[in-house]
Amino acid sequence: MKRFKKFYLEITSVCNLACTFCPETLRPKAFISINQFKERLKEIKPYTDYLNFHVKGEPLLHPKLAELLSISHMNGFKVNITTNGTLISKKKSQLLNQPALRQINFSLHSFEGQPFKIDGDRYLEDILAFVKELKQTQETFVSFRLWNLQKHEETSELQAQNIKILQRLEEAFHIEEPLIDRISPTKGIKLSEGIYLNQDYQFTWPSLDEPEDDGVGFCHGLRNQVGILTDGTVIPCCLDGEGVINLGNVDEMSFKDIITSQRSTAIVEGFSKRIAVEELCKKCGYRKRFG
């Protein structure tokens, strides 16, 4: 039976920010219900041990996040959460002492380009305070993400923001060698036990409005990753934030039938030959990272 290393189970399509690098979804705003969540776990249990609580949306907005984590634990799942971190002080009680929480990723670049002012210093201090408390009670991995590198020269403002964040991390984790001299988009840096810094180039979400290329490339979609949106739509990868490649709805048919359908099989077989068969895939630059 096929097993997925990365399973994106979106718990909400709602976000509290308007990041320039992450277009707001055009899908209806929704939160997964407890009953929907339980039913979906039953469907996917044979296929993965790990859940990622997002595709789009901010997971910490879910009012029953603690219950979702508890249910995940009772069903033998480990959970990864990616958050912009702005709600961490308000929602930390729902995250602490949760054995299901395997890893939490903080997108530290999220406060950039907002139409409203975010206090960057307070934002980072709240996250650091939470991480300190978290690591005192559980062995959850922590990843600080700065996914905003530019392939051309960074603007002075962006570079200054990044340097400021890196310097604060150096202070917090007693790092002697400047992080700015060690940053690489290809590997993470260990800051402390179970705590890492990862930086990467900013990517563009694929869209049908983008130009189509020759379709040559590879993707792990439906090979080691898959996703389910809040409305039950199954998608092949975490970058199909609008559900363009709608493989079927898990609330209407079995997950097994969806991932073994002719359309799903064609996607996998196509990428085995380094060929994208879906229109959206032909307009996704991310697959070029894998050759």
Side-chain angles (χ1 to χ4, degrees), residues 7 11 17 22 41 47-48 57 62 73 78 97 106 121 124 127 138 167 184 186-187 214 216 226 232 242 272 282:
F7 204 115
I11 62 174
L17 296 185
C22 181
L41 291 193
Y47 300 95
T48 191
H62 200 291
H73 177 62
K78 290 294 184 180
N97 300 307
F106 291 99
D121 293 334
L124 189 54
I127 291 174
Q138 58 204 74
Q167 289 175 338
S184 169
T186 59
K187 60 181 180 180
D214 58 11
V216 175
V226 69
E242 293 304 310
S272 294
K282 295 177 182 178

Side-chain angles (χ1 to χ4, degrees), residues 95-96 104 130-138 140 142:
L95 295 167
L96 296 173
I104 183 164
F130 166 78
V131 170
K132 182 178 180 180
E133 187 172 359
L134 175 74
K135 298 301 286 187
Q136 290 174 344
T137 60
Q138 58 204 74
T140 300
V142 175

Side-chain angles (χ1 to χ4, degrees), residues 79-81 101-106 130-131 134-135 138-144 190 192-196:
V79 177
N80 302 319
I81 289 178
L101 186 58
R102 173 188 174 274
Q103 179 166 323
I104 183 164
N105 308 310
F106 291 99
F130 166 78
V131 170
L134 175 74
K135 298 301 286 187
Q138 58 204 74
E139 297 182 355
T140 300
F141 292 102
V142 175
S143 173
F144 296 114
K190 184 176 181 179
S192 184
E193 191 62 38
I195 303 176
Y196 299 87

Side-chain angles (χ1 to χ4, degrees), residues 237-261:
C237 80
C238 62
L239 292 183
D240 187 4
E242 293 304 310
V244 173
I245 307 176
N246 184 342
L247 301 173
N249 194 295
V250 75
D251 295 336
E252 300 169 358
M253 58 190 298
S254 74
F255 181 73
K256 177 182 179 181
D257 287 345
I258 292 173
I259 63 169
T260 57
S261 68

Side-chain angles (χ1 to χ4, degrees), residues 168-237:
R168 182 63 189 97
L169 293 178
E170 290 166 7
E171 295 174 4
F173 298 102
H174 311 292
I175 307 296
E176 294 184 1
E177 183 181 352
L179 290 172
I180 192 67
D181 297 335
R182 300 167 56 194
I183 280 296
S184 169
T186 59
K187 60 181 180 180
I189 297 174
K190 184 176 181 179
L191 302 177
S192 184
E193 191 62 38
I195 303 176
Y196 299 87
L197 169 66
N198 291 279
Q199 196 161 14
D200 204 345
Y201 294 111
Q202 181 177 317
F203 68 87
T204 301
W205 285 79
S207 167
L208 293 178
D209 295 329
E210 294 294 320
E212 185 174 313
D213 59 26
D214 58 11
V216 175
F218 181 78
C219 179
H220 293 283
L222 290 178
R223 191 175 300 271
N224 71 4
Q225 71 165 277
V226 69
I228 302 178
L229 302 178
T230 48
D231 67 357
T233 299
V234 176
I235 54 175
C237 80

Side-chain angles (χ1 to χ4, degrees), residues 25 27 53 86 90 121 125 131 144 147 149 166 188 196 206 218 228 244 268:
T25 179
R27 294 181 283 120
F53 277 2
T86 57
K90 295 180 180 179
D121 293 334
E125 292 307 315
V131 170
F144 296 114
W147 286 9
L149 288 179
L166 295 175
Y196 299 87
F218 181 78
I228 302 178
V244 173
V268 175

